[in-house]
Amino acid sequence: MTKTTLSADASTKIAVLGLGEMGAAIAKTFVGGGFPTTVWNRTASKSAVFLDTGAKIAPTAAEAAADSDVVVLCLLDSLAVNEVLRSLDSAISGKVLVNLTSGAPAQARTYHKWAKEHGAAYLDGKIMGDPPYVGTPQVNFSFSGSAAAFAVHETALQSLGTIGYHGDEAGAAAVEFMAQVAVGYEMLIGFLHTLRLVEAEGFDVEYFAERVGASMAGYPGLLKMMARAVSTGEYRPDLGSLDVQVALMDDMISHRESMGVEAMRMREVKSLMDQRIAQGLGDQGFSSLFELLIPKTR
Ligand code: NDP
């Protein structure tokens, strides 16, 4: 088995495999940062954009990898990653594989194992942000996996945006990513339903969004307080006691229903509050609903 090269400087050779919107932005950032960069894409026309940029264009993924120290994957999904990894085979030996494709923790752990079996170090990376902002602090890259590889290539990775390292458990960055994205989607679908309510009442949705944005300033402290309550099991009456909060729930539900707006989530909240109160715990706060959200048997 070849020994992985773990010494980096500005001459670290980087391959970027996958030149979709995100992959192309990443490759351009490495080229702009002066890193010797080789690019490959399944559809060759997307590589042509890199002619005259100083990047090398490889005819195959394996040739791009063979010519590099760090091999960055930014592909559509795990099916694409599996296909490209199969084509790399021994060309990855001795390299650092950095997979920036979105996906689940289990996939990251599988790629980590694959890399190890093929003599490569593995870093899993997850991206939050838009391609045009790659290379600025507005895009977040979370990494986990080989601590040595992260330390050695931190400077190159930093050129992509704001970076964070979540430890050597390969799935950790994906856990963080999936959880962050889930919080975003769950909150934003609630926001969209509420915009329906605001609109149905004839109010200006843009003005309302500004008001909600201002209220968000209080959320970081609230989130920390709730997480503390969950980790200690000490549920103070955050947002008020459940006994008081529940009194509003029927009005919230009937307001939505009267305007023809979905009230499913409000009914869920009320049902959880009712259960907790029935347990004699109505003096506790909103965080205490966590105790009822028990994962179903896997
Ligand atoms: P695109 O759809 O623009 O590009 C997808 C890339 O995957 C292309 O290079 C495509 O090649 C390649 N690909 C797809 N299937 C295969 C396959 N079977 N074999 C080889 N290559 C394949 O996606 P993005 O670049 O936008 O996204 C890439 C990753 O970045 C995704 O995991 C995405 O979730 C993540 N991401 C994207 C963001 C965004 O805003 N775009 C934001 C945050 C994360 P071809 O050109 O030949 O089709």
Side-chain angles (χ1 to χ4, degrees):
M1 200 177 279
T2 319
K3 198 170 178 303
T4 304
T5 313
L6 284 177
S7 61
D9 50 39
S11 65
T12 298
K13 294 194 276 179
I14 301 175
V16 179
L17 311 183
L19 301 171
E21 267 197 80
M22 187 51 92
I26 287 166
K28 279 180 198 152
T29 304
F30 283 135
V31 174
F35 293 97
T37 306
T38 304
V39 296
W40 171 83
N41 193 65
R42 178 182 62 174
T43 306
S45 56
K46 288 187 192 161
S47 306
V49 176
F50 284 84
L51 282 170
D52 303 326
T53 62
K56 281 193 202 168
I57 298 174
T60 65
E63 282 168 81
D67 192 28
S68 307
D69 306 309
V70 175
V71 179
V72 175
L73 255 62
C74 189
L75 302 165
L76 184 63
D77 56 16
S78 62
L79 292 178
V81 173
N82 295 343
E83 210 169 307
V84 171
L85 289 186
R86 264 197 303 275
S87 79
L88 294 184
D89 197 33
S90 63
I92 199 68
S93 181
K95 320 287 180 184
V96 174
L97 175 62
V98 181
N99 177 29
L100 296 177
T101 306
S102 301
Q107 289 158 359
R109 291 169 191 138
T110 302
Y111 300 139
H112 179 217
K113 187 166 174 278
W114 182 93
K116 203 169 164 193
E117 287 165 0
H118 287 76
Y122 184 73
L123 271 177
D124 199 71
K126 295 291 169 266
I127 311 169
M128 288 180 66
D130 295 328
Y133 298 103
V134 170
T136 76
Q138 287 180 58
V139 184
N140 279 287
F141 290 78
S142 304
F143 293 96
S144 55
S146 168
F150 181 78
V152 168
H153 297 294
E154 194 170 353
T155 306
L157 299 174
Q158 250 162 5
S159 69
L160 297 176
T162 302
I163 63 169
Y165 176 68
H166 299 276
D168 59 6
E169 198 284 282
V175 170
E176 151 87 10
F177 172 79
M178 297 298 248
Q180 288 269 11
V181 172
V183 168
Y185 279 140
E186 294 210 38
M187 186 185 75
L188 294 175
I189 193 66
F191 177 63
L192 287 179
H193 276 301
T194 302
L195 286 190
R196 275 282 170 207
L197 187 74
V198 171
E199 186 191 60
E201 287 280 18
F203 282 76
D204 179 347
V205 292
E206 291 189 42
Y207 174 68
F208 174 71
E210 269 181 45
R211 302 279 300 157
V212 173
S215 306
M216 289 280 174
Y219 275 69
L222 178 63
L223 298 182
K224 273 174 92 170
M225 195 170 73
M226 290 177 73
R228 179 96 198 121
V230 162
S231 63
T232 60
E234 283 174 33
Y235 298 110
R236 300 212 170 85
D238 50 19
L239 303 179
S241 68
L242 292 177
D243 285 330
V244 171
Q245 290 182 57
V246 80
L248 185 62
M249 293 313 293
D250 283 331
D251 285 343
M252 302 224 19
I253 292 166
S254 60
H255 180 211
R256 286 187 172 240
E257 285 175 345
S258 70
M259 305 306 287
V261 173
E262 176 61 64
M264 182 175 68
R265 277 166 217 81
M266 288 300 143
R267 279 195 291 272
E268 183 195 4
V269 170
K270 179 172 187 307
S271 156
L272 291 168
M273 287 180 174
D274 285 342
Q275 289 174 56
R276 203 71 184 149
I277 291 166
Q279 291 172 343
L281 298 165
D283 58 336
Q284 298 187 341
F286 190 80
S287 310
S288 70
L289 303 187
F290 179 80
E291 293 295 328
L292 299 171
L293 308 178
I294 297 159
K296 297 195 173 60
T297 328
R298 281 182 241 174

